[in-house]
Amino acid sequence: MEQPITRDITLGQLLDEAVRRVPDNEAVVYTDRDYRETWQQFSNTVDRVAKGLMALGVKKGDKVAIWATNVPHWVTLQFAVARIGAILITVNINYKISEIEYILKQSEAENIFIIDGYRDTDYMSIIYELVPELRTQPRDHLRSERFPHLQRVIFLGPEKHRGMYSMNEVMAMAAQTSKAEYEERQASLSTHDVVMMQYTSGTTGFPKGVMLTHHNIGNNGYWIGLNENFGTEDRVCFPVPLFHCFGCVLAVMACVNHASTMVILEKYDPVNVMMSVEFEKATALYGVPTMFISILEHPLFSKFDLSTLRTGIMAGSPCPVKTMEECVERMNMREVTIVFGLTETSPGMTQTRFDEPSLEKKCSTVGRPLPGVEVAIIDPETGEHMGPGKHGEICCRGYNVMKGYYNMPEETAKAIDKDGWLHSGDIGMADDDGYYIITGRIKDMIIRGGENIYPKEVEDFIHHMDGISDAQVVGVPSKKYGEQPGVFIILKPGVAMTAEDVQDHCRGKIAWYKIPKYVAFVNEYPLTASGKIMKYKLREMATQMWPDA
């Protein structure tokens, strides 16, 4: 019987299916702390937390924010919140006080789970500063002047803090919710209810809350996992942040759909990743290109056995062809895939498959549209649909398109046109075989004296130069040409190189106007919390470094 393109199923029902299939297989594993739960144990924990939240008074449609690294109960909360019809708000772990204040106000969140903090940010002191009432009011009657919707703060751990509930207390309160009440709540849910709100990174304007439904992310996770050939014996290692759609959908939802084991890392560290892969015999690994580069170039790389790997996802930013080739050759990831999309598309729009017929398609494209998703290349000026080989904006429509931005109807209308096409802001083209190739962002595309330069094309060429670890091309303002291409390069350890070396390598091999006019060597790139390179920051740096371009 052929699998339908989409299924009307909630996240809770997907979890139930996994439990029925392999109740005693491991569901969640943290190698570094030997934390392990089978699917049955994980489901039981989810039920305790869900019933505890109901006992606290969390209603259907309430928002539950989570401001935490990939701690063990993050994924528990993802499904507990879903089981009772509430909405999980995933909060960027790098946010500071003004950003978390904005999110809590804009989302009108009734609840927030927090940990102590991350790096140099003390979440606890921030919450007490924003909600001083926590120190004086009883926790079951919180009334915040600054956040009138906020009703409760929960610490995502066993410790007790003034004005907050602890995770242990939430689970202990489960006994106050009857089985009948719990089942009635679950029976009231629709697969088209919003289950998650993810805030876009806000590189342009204020962050927007992307509303995603059970239908959006449940079905997207199914096809993502199918394209990696996931099964119940797969063990998927992911060090990507759970607050990002890469973690909580491409990883978690793919695993739950196919009852594959989740091997989670609280934070990214190349040695911990390699250790987890070897110790757990992981068959799949997820990461952004910068993560894979740091693993491949790590001095201890040869000490670890990564032979169990076969697949995974490299995504989050354009994937250098050379890095993909090295993952296939040196990390045994012969079935590695690339996913392209954005938070607004749940997030997968296109994907390469584990069994692509050619390495060239696997490494230099982002695959073909996922089943149930239409993809088109549309001229951003005229709205015309472009044929193969023609550049334009990549747009999609289908079950994966978000419900909209929370309380932002005008922004929603800008993103989704009257015909239902979600506009990605990315420039690309389709080849004759229906594979899509990303060439840059609309705002990243460099226009030099009327010539269009697609950064990724130049980056991929420079990547193949010996001694170069990574290269990022941006437009540098120019009085004469409008823009000139500039490149920021990270060299491999011990390598010395000049700007002229890079330009000479390009000369005669790519069009003269694509050769970077400016070259800078740097030790690192500015990154988002999910590991994406912030090109707008590189453009700012370029403008300061070369003001008279």
Side-chain angles (χ1 to χ4, degrees):
M1 184 175 168
E2 189 176 339
Q3 166 70 29
I5 288 177
T6 61
R7 302 169 68 204
D8 285 335
I9 191 166
T10 65
L11 268 57
Q13 291 166 337
L14 281 173
L15 177 55
D16 291 339
E17 284 188 352
V19 174
R20 283 195 294 271
R21 289 172 70 185
V22 282
D24 299 324
N25 275 20
E26 287 181 330
V28 179
V29 171
Y30 284 79
T31 311
D32 61 349
R33 66 201 70 189
D34 202 29
Y35 178 98
R36 295 169 189 277
E37 282 190 322
T38 64
W39 283 104
Q40 186 63 67
Q41 290 167 337
F42 174 63
S43 180
N44 292 344
T45 305
V46 166
D47 288 339
R48 280 199 299 276
V49 174
K51 288 180 175 180
L53 290 174
M54 284 183 64
L56 275 177
V58 178
K59 302 181 185 66
K60 183 178 176 181
D62 280 1
K63 277 85 64 184
V64 180
I66 177 169
W67 194 20
T69 53
N70 296 3
V71 293
H73 281 312
W74 205 109
V75 179
T76 307
L77 267 175
Q78 180 174 344
F79 283 87
V81 168
R83 275 209 191 277
I84 62 171
I87 300 166
L88 189 73
I89 298 172
T90 64
V91 182
N92 189 317
I93 56 177
N94 281 337
Y95 276 174
K96 305 292 186 185
I97 188 166
S98 62
E99 293 153 319
I100 189 66
E101 179 179 11
Y102 169 81
I103 296 296
L104 287 175
K105 283 182 176 175
Q106 204 281 330
S107 69
E108 301 173 322
E110 290 89 356
N111 313 271
I112 182 169
F113 281 80
I114 68 168
I115 58 172
D116 286 318
Y118 176 65
R119 289 185 176 168
D120 62 343
T121 307
D122 185 334
Y123 295 178
M124 298 295 289
S125 65
I126 286 174
I127 286 294
Y128 278 122
E129 182 176 340
L130 291 176
V131 193
E133 295 90 347
L134 286 168
R135 297 191 184 278
T136 57
Q137 294 181 359
R139 60 189 183 176
D140 56 344
H141 286 85
L142 178 63
R143 294 292 178 268
S144 168
E145 183 180 344
R146 192 174 298 186
F147 308 103
H149 289 87
L150 188 65
Q151 296 175 20
R152 51 193 78 84
V153 178
I154 304 109
F155 185 74
L156 194 51
E159 297 85 358
K160 293 185 177 182
H161 296 280
R162 180 72 183 166
M164 303 181 194
Y165 293 91
S166 71
M167 195 63 173
N168 287 4
E169 289 172 319
V170 172
M171 287 194 275
M173 293 176 75
Q176 298 176 29
T177 300
S178 71
K179 183 181 178 184
E181 288 174 306
Y182 188 42
E183 289 176 350
E184 184 182 354
R185 176 73 68 89
Q186 291 179 76
S188 73
L189 307 184
S190 162
T191 187
H192 297 289
D193 291 339
V194 175
V195 72
M196 184 178 285
M197 276 169 54
Q198 297 179 19
Y199 276 80
T200 55
S201 56
T203 52
T204 54
F206 288 108
K208 300 180 283 289
V210 177
M211 296 187 289
L212 300 173
T213 66
H214 296 261
H215 195 68
N216 288 147
I217 66 174
N219 285 293
N220 206 246
Y222 174 80
W223 290 108
I224 295 295
L226 193 78
N227 279 346
E228 297 173 83
N229 199 25
F230 276 178
T232 57
E233 299 308 309
D234 277 296
R235 299 174 71 81
V236 185
C237 178
F238 47 94
V240 293
L242 288 166
F243 77 80
H244 191 272
C245 51
F246 199 171
C248 62
V249 183
L250 295 188
V252 172
M253 294 312 305
C255 287
V256 175
N257 266 281
H258 300 278
S260 306
T261 300
M262 295 176 268
V263 179
I264 307 173
L265 279 78
E266 187 170 336
K267 58 186 178 183
Y268 175 75
D269 174 84
V271 172
N272 281 345
V273 171
M274 292 186 284
M275 179 196 72
S276 296
V277 169
E278 178 177 324
F279 192 80
E280 300 298 335
K281 294 182 168 50
T283 56
L285 177 62
Y286 281 30
V288 296
T290 50
M291 290 178 177
F292 283 102
I293 290 169
S294 69
I295 290 170
L296 288 160
E297 295 185 354
H298 199 279
L300 296 178
F301 176 80
S302 62
K303 304 291 185 187
F304 290 91
D305 179 5
L306 309 181
S307 61
T308 56
L309 287 175
R310 65 167 183 84
T311 189
I313 293 177
M314 188 187 299
S317 59
C319 306
V321 172
K322 188 165 181 282
T323 304
M324 282 290 293
E325 291 171 345
E326 288 195 5
C327 286
V328 171
E329 293 164 12
R330 298 176 57 205
M331 296 179 67
N332 309 297
M333 296 177 69
R334 60 197 176 279
E335 297 179 358
V336 66
T337 72
I338 290 178
V339 175
F340 168 72
L342 53 158
T343 307
E344 290 88 337
T345 59
S346 301
M349 184 190 304
T350 68
Q351 186 179 10
T352 54
R353 279 181 54 93
F354 70 96
D355 57 355
E356 288 297 342
S358 78
L359 188 63
E360 188 270 332
K361 295 290 191 192
K362 180 183 287 290
C363 293
S364 62
T365 79
V366 293
R368 291 176 288 188
L370 291 166
V373 178
E374 290 180 85
V375 178
I377 303 293
I378 299 177
D379 187 313
E381 298 296 324
T382 66
E384 178 189 358
H385 285 233
M386 313 297 282
K390 301 288 187 182
H391 288 278
E393 183 179 13
I394 300 184
C395 302
C396 85
R397 63 183 178 186
Y399 75 83
N400 63 327
V401 172
M402 66 172 178
K403 206 158 192 175
Y405 296 121
Y406 185 72
N407 281 350
M408 289 185 174
E410 291 180 7
E411 294 292 336
T412 302
K414 286 179 191 174
I416 305 171
D417 68 24
K418 62 181 184 345
D419 296 318
W421 291 100
L422 186 288
H423 289 253
S424 72
D426 286 293
I427 293 289
M429 55 176 265
D431 67 14
D432 291 330
D433 299 318
Y435 287 79
Y436 285 80
I437 298 157
I438 309 301
T439 48
R441 292 283 295 169
I442 286 178
K443 62 178 179 291
D444 286 343
M445 187 176 72
I446 302 164
I447 305 177
R448 182 199 180 279
E451 296 280 7
N452 289 352
I453 301 171
Y454 299 97
K456 188 171 184 299
E457 179 187 354
V458 183
E459 290 163 0
D460 277 342
F461 181 80
I462 293 173
H463 256 285
H464 281 86
M465 187 175 176
D466 287 342
I468 287 181
S469 173
D470 205 352
Q472 296 293 322
V473 173
V474 298
V476 184
S478 165
K479 294 185 181 76
K480 184 174 182 181
Y481 296 103
E483 287 181 297
Q484 288 274 25
V487 62
F488 290 86
I489 290 173
I490 296 177
L491 294 172
K492 290 183 177 178
V495 173
M497 194 178 292
T498 66
E500 291 74 21
D501 292 334
V502 177
Q503 291 160 337
D504 288 344
H505 174 75
C506 298
R507 206 162 278 121
K509 296 173 187 153
I510 59 175
W512 63 270
Y513 61 85
K514 297 178 184 177
I515 297 172
K517 168 82 172 171
Y518 303 99
V519 181
F521 299 98
V522 296
N523 295 320
E524 60 184 7
Y525 298 129
L527 302 175
T528 66
S530 55
K532 289 185 183 180
I533 296 164
M534 294 190 279
K535 280 214 165 175
Y536 75 99
K537 291 262 190 189
L538 290 179
R539 283 194 292 273
E540 290 172 3
M541 288 165 58
T543 303
Q544 292 168 0
M545 292 169 71
W546 304 297
D548 300 319

